Amino acid sequence: MILPIYLYGHPVLRAISQPVTPDYPELEKLIENMKETMYESDGIGIAAPQVGVSIRLVYIDVDVLGDDMPELKDRRMVLINPEVTVLEDGPVTNREEGCLSVPGIHESVKRIEKINLKWQDEKWEEHEEVIEGFLARVVQHECDHLDGKVFIDHISPIRKQLNRAKINNILKGNVRCGYRTRGFKPLKKK
Ligand code: NI
């Protein structure tokens, strides 16, 4: 089932998400719905708060970028309770990011693209891996959502100011994009 994407300005995107336990009801179904919702909106990552569920769950599929970055080929991950440690010896890179919850805005964000990631998969198996490059950026972007952060929190006040009109429209739920959204105060249906 395709779920609406919650927009920037909705309090669920500012909440600290709860850890997931194996008895979480219908977790499999939620994961399937998040996948379907992400593919429908052409995303490469989605965090549970973006569909209004405040739990520590992320889905990433960067396979589509595999032609340009072969290391991303077939890279699909369900991250349950991910723990990111940024490895300070990594280079800082500046790359453009976007977010399904912040439609129409693309801005460069500086990140250290080298992390240690611990997580559980959908079978509750434990994983730990050092991840570098673009995937490390995607993981950080998605895991930020679990701590109530969005990528535009990382941009400069000037860049934020330049996007003010767009941000205000998103806050009003006044967006046009190719997928269903939910703002904090949805527009009245005509
Ligand atoms: Ni995002």
Side-chain angles (χ1 to χ4, degrees):
M1 187 172 68
I2 294 165
L3 306 169
I5 300 274
Y6 284 59
L7 293 176
Y8 179 72
H10 197 290
V12 74
L13 293 171
R14 286 299 187 203
I16 306 291
S17 297
Q18 294 300 308
V20 192
T21 52
D23 61 351
Y24 188 86
E26 301 196 75
L27 185 64
E28 244 173 67
K29 194 171 159 192
L30 175 62
I31 294 169
E32 278 316 304
N33 289 344
M34 282 170 58
K35 288 181 183 178
E36 211 180 318
T37 302
M38 190 192 83
Y39 292 125
E40 176 70 16
S41 48
D42 291 327
I44 54 171
I46 191 167
Q50 293 184 276
V51 294
V53 184
S54 197
I55 62 169
R56 305 190 82 79
L57 168 66
V58 162
Y59 179 64
I60 290 171
D61 180 351
V62 284
D63 174 67
V64 72
L65 302 169
D67 287 344
D68 292 333
M69 294 175 264
E71 74 276 14
L72 303 183
K73 208 91 196 113
D74 296 320
R75 206 72 218 253
R76 298 179 183 87
M77 318 167 92
V78 173
L79 305 180
I80 295 174
N81 301 323
E83 285 172 48
V84 172
T85 316
V86 176
L87 299 174
E88 299 294 340
D89 56 342
V92 175
T93 56
N94 209 8
R95 276 197 217 222
E96 200 169 80
E97 295 188 16
C99 179
L100 296 175
S101 295
V102 195
I105 297 182
H106 294 89
E107 286 291 330
S108 283
V109 177
K110 260 188 205 165
R111 294 190 196 267
I112 294 173
E113 290 184 352
K114 189 172 181 184
I115 60 170
N116 187 71
L117 179 65
K118 281 188 197 178
W119 76 99
Q120 287 151 298
D121 64 21
E122 65 272 45
K123 294 171 191 142
W124 295 95
E125 278 167 25
E126 304 268 354
H127 300 266
E128 181 167 3
E129 191 182 330
V130 173
I131 295 176
E132 292 184 63
F134 187 78
L135 182 58
R137 173 175 294 271
V138 177
V139 169
Q140 289 176 74
H141 175 119
E142 297 310 328
C143 291
D144 270 0
H145 280 300
L146 308 181
D147 291 323
K149 286 183 253 168
V150 291
F151 82 99
I152 55 173
D153 298 339
H154 296 290
I155 69 178
S156 71
I158 292 169
R159 296 305 307 171
K160 214 163 181 179
Q161 192 54 38
L162 287 168
N163 282 291
R164 186 40 65 191
K166 282 185 191 169
I167 292 171
N168 284 343
N169 275 326
I170 295 169
L171 290 171
K172 287 184 215 148
N174 186 14
V175 295
R176 268 191 206 179
C177 52
Y179 48 90
R180 215 150 51 94
T181 57
R182 181 164 295 170
F184 187 41
K185 291 176 198 160
L187 290 180
K188 279 180 191 143
K189 283 193 183 118
K190 282 174 192 163

